[in-house]
Amino acid sequence: APGYWRGIGWYRKHFKLASEYSGKQVFLEFEGTGTVAEFWLNGQRVGEHKGSYTSFEFDVTEYVRFGETENVLTAKVDNLFRDTLPPTVKTDYTFYGGIYRDVWLRLSEPTYVSEVIWFTPSVSENAAALKIQSRLANKSSAAKELTLVQDVLDPHGALVKSVSMPVRIPPRETVEVTQDGGTVTNPLLWSPDAPHLYRIRTSLHAGARVVDALENPLGFRWFKFDSQRGFFLNGKRVQVQGTNWHQVYPGMGNALPNSRHAKDMEIIRAMGVNFWRTSHYPHDPATMEASDRLGLMVWEELPVNKEIGDPHEYTANVLTMAEEMIRRDRNHPCIMVWGLAGEVNAPQSVAKKVIGAVAARYRQLDLSRPVAMHEPRGEEIEALVDVTGLGVGKETDEKHRQFPNRPYLVA
């Protein structure tokens, strides 16, 4: 479009790391870069990332220098058109480019907690069962005998549950362990009217020393989309009052500070909304944290819509994006749905293959939430997802009569 710039931008960042940090693992975390980003640290290529809206990280320990020597991070970021990387064609939003979200330098011990996932196999007003799965990495050349501790904190910060287990991590390996968190009695449930937010503090201990620790949000709730009676949360019907929202603001483009993201979520909640769709891509982590806190339910989606280039390459890119989205956000109780943007302009056979592959990957990664798609364009594609988004009208009413067991969300 006229005046719409797509091209290449270069960044350079100089930084020092004090000698006292020598021996630590060093990571670079990027919350969002548009669209294809390539990185070099001290002249050595670190890697590449494709996709504007999902977060990613690189372990740069082998490239970094400690002490008085400066490190130089170089980034090449472009938002050039690619028909194999969604979103492909300009729709109702602008494809800004560059490093537009936060970037973090993270230091840890060579043995650290790389990921924590919580599961609630059963939840009621009386009791909630909790399981916690952790990935533990050991980048050192020696096996580590440690203790893994999970502390469950209630919304006021009080300790309600603590479980621990010994773990052995072989050298240069990553292990996955699952702990039974037991039962939390009379849990305070998460809902739009009462967004009670627990936290899980995960820590690795070597004797009395804490080797690594991190926290994740935790929410106790259960829900379902009933095809005839509507949406049920914690056993009660909740009228969904929704909106879409784009990560754009006058004068800022997409480069919003966290405070602006949080403020927009507060405005959305104040106007009576209890549900929003991340049109049409994963949003900044700050929006998910605000949604947890404010009681905003979320349909988070990938920008699978419009034109599709080579289906094999396109699908591979989208499946990577799906993994990055779910890995980052699955612990947020606000998320009710993993979605696809919809309105795909491709032959039915191609659309079916792509949507089918993404839906299967969503379910493989997280069975606790339904797969949804807006405007699937055809019964065969509707059948691939759990919840269908359609416009208000007689055609939608007729379709619901035709498929009475299929939940619809209308906008």
Side-chain angles (χ1 to χ4, degrees):
Y4 179 63
W5 189 84
R6 303 188 84 157
I8 297 169
W10 287 88
Y11 296 78
R12 185 167 285 179
K13 173 77 173 176
H14 295 252
F15 64 96
K16 289 181 181 178
L17 277 177
S19 302
E20 67 193 80
Y21 297 124
S22 182
K24 301 275 192 189
Q25 290 298 120
V26 184
F27 301 87
L28 282 170
E29 296 179 14
F30 296 85
E31 291 184 0
T33 60
T35 297
V36 174
E38 204 171 352
F39 301 92
W40 294 263
L41 185 55
N42 299 326
Q44 293 183 277
R45 188 176 185 276
V46 172
E48 182 183 60
H49 181 263
K50 295 177 179 176
S52 295
Y53 309 105
T54 47
S55 303
F56 59 97
E57 71 175 29
F58 294 109
D59 184 338
V60 295
T61 310
E62 61 182 294
Y63 310 114
V64 81
R65 300 165 182 153
F66 298 93
E68 284 305 304
T69 311
E70 265 197 343
N71 293 278
V72 182
L73 175 65
T74 306
K76 174 190 175 188
V77 188
D78 77 62
N79 65 342
L80 296 167
F81 171 75
R82 290 170 177 82
D83 63 4
T84 56
L85 191 60
T88 47
V89 176
K90 187 176 187 299
T91 55
D92 59 345
Y93 58 105
T94 304
F95 304 157
Y96 293 101
I99 302 175
Y100 70 96
R101 290 184 188 162
D102 291 335
V103 182
W104 302 95
L105 182 73
R106 188 175 93 244
L107 302 175
S108 78
E109 296 290 328
T111 307
Y112 58 94
V113 183
S114 69
E115 186 178 24
V116 174
I117 302 168
W118 57 262
F119 304 89
T120 47
S122 64
V123 182
S124 73
E125 291 179 1
N126 303 320
L130 181 63
K131 284 200 179 328
I132 305 165
Q133 185 179 297
S134 305
R135 283 174 64 85
L136 311 172
N138 179 11
K139 296 292 177 75
S140 75
S141 55
K144 298 292 180 182
E145 307 272 354
L146 302 165
T147 304
L148 177 64
V149 179
Q150 307 284 0
D151 291 328
V152 180
L153 310 172
D154 74 10
H156 306 292
L159 183 67
V160 294
K161 178 78 60 181
S162 185
V163 293
S164 66
M165 68 181 289
V167 289
R168 182 181 188 276
I169 317 173
R172 297 190 178 88
E173 282 195 26
T174 299
V175 298
E176 249 182 39
V177 295
T178 302
Q179 288 164 285
D180 188 340
T183 301
V184 175
T185 54
N186 302 317
L188 296 166
L189 301 178
W190 188 95
S191 71
D193 290 338
H196 295 299
L197 196 62
Y198 288 71
R199 300 196 75 75
I200 299 174
R201 184 188 294 141
T202 305
S203 50
L204 266 180
H205 298 250
R209 186 172 73 92
V210 177
V211 177
D212 193 28
L214 75 157
E215 285 194 4
N216 276 287
L218 166 66
F220 295 111
R221 79 282 186 271
W222 75 98
F223 62 92
K224 68 171 180 176
F225 291 85
D226 187 287
S227 60
Q228 291 299 317
R229 298 187 298 155
F231 178 74
F232 282 77
L233 178 66
N234 302 332
K236 296 167 188 164
R237 188 184 183 282
V238 174
Q239 181 62 42
V240 172
Q241 304 280 5
T243 188
N244 288 344
W245 183 73
H246 277 296
Q247 58 174 22
V248 66
Y249 197 79
M252 294 182 179
N254 276 356
L256 276 62
N258 290 343
S259 57
R260 183 69 252 172
H261 285 299
K263 184 67 179 171
D264 278 10
M265 295 295 104
E266 287 165 6
I267 291 168
I268 285 170
R269 188 72 184 99
M271 74 185 199
V273 164
N274 62 9
F275 186 101
W276 70 285
R277 176 180 166 211
T278 69
S279 46
H280 297 292
Y281 39 78
H283 279 242
D284 192 285
T287 64
M288 299 302 153
E289 290 161 13
S291 296
D292 280 343
R293 174 173 57 84
L294 296 167
L296 276 168
M297 300 181 288
V298 181
W299 160 328
E300 187 171 20
E301 68 183 11
L302 290 182
V304 180
N305 64 345
K306 305 308 177 189
E307 276 66 20
I308 291 176
D310 176 69
H312 182 75
E313 193 180 335
Y314 184 97
T315 303
N317 286 331
V318 173
L319 294 184
T320 299
M321 292 162 76
E323 287 171 8
E324 289 171 339
M325 174 178 75
I326 291 177
R327 186 187 306 131
R328 193 194 77 179
D329 288 340
R330 64 179 301 158
N331 287 333
H332 288 290
C334 63
I335 295 177
M336 302 287 141
V337 167
W338 298 123
L340 298 108
E343 300 178 7
V344 174
N345 298 340
Q348 191 88 340
S349 58
V350 171
K352 268 180 69 177
K353 274 186 183 172
V354 173
I355 304 309
V358 177
R361 185 59 55 90
Y362 281 176
R363 294 182 181 116
Q364 178 192 356
L365 294 167
D366 181 15
L367 269 175
S368 73
R369 296 170 173 96
V371 180
M373 184 176 185
H374 182 66
E375 294 290 356
R377 292 183 175 170
E379 274 72 41
E380 285 185 275
I381 295 178
E382 275 190 38
L384 297 173
V385 300
D386 306 308
V387 178
T388 299
L390 290 176
V392 177
K394 291 179 181 176
E395 298 87 351
T396 300
D397 291 340
E398 181 51 44
K399 184 158 274 194
H400 195 207
R401 275 191 287 272
Q402 202 178 343
F403 298 97
N405 296 321
R406 195 176 282 169
Y408 288 92
L409 267 173
V410 295

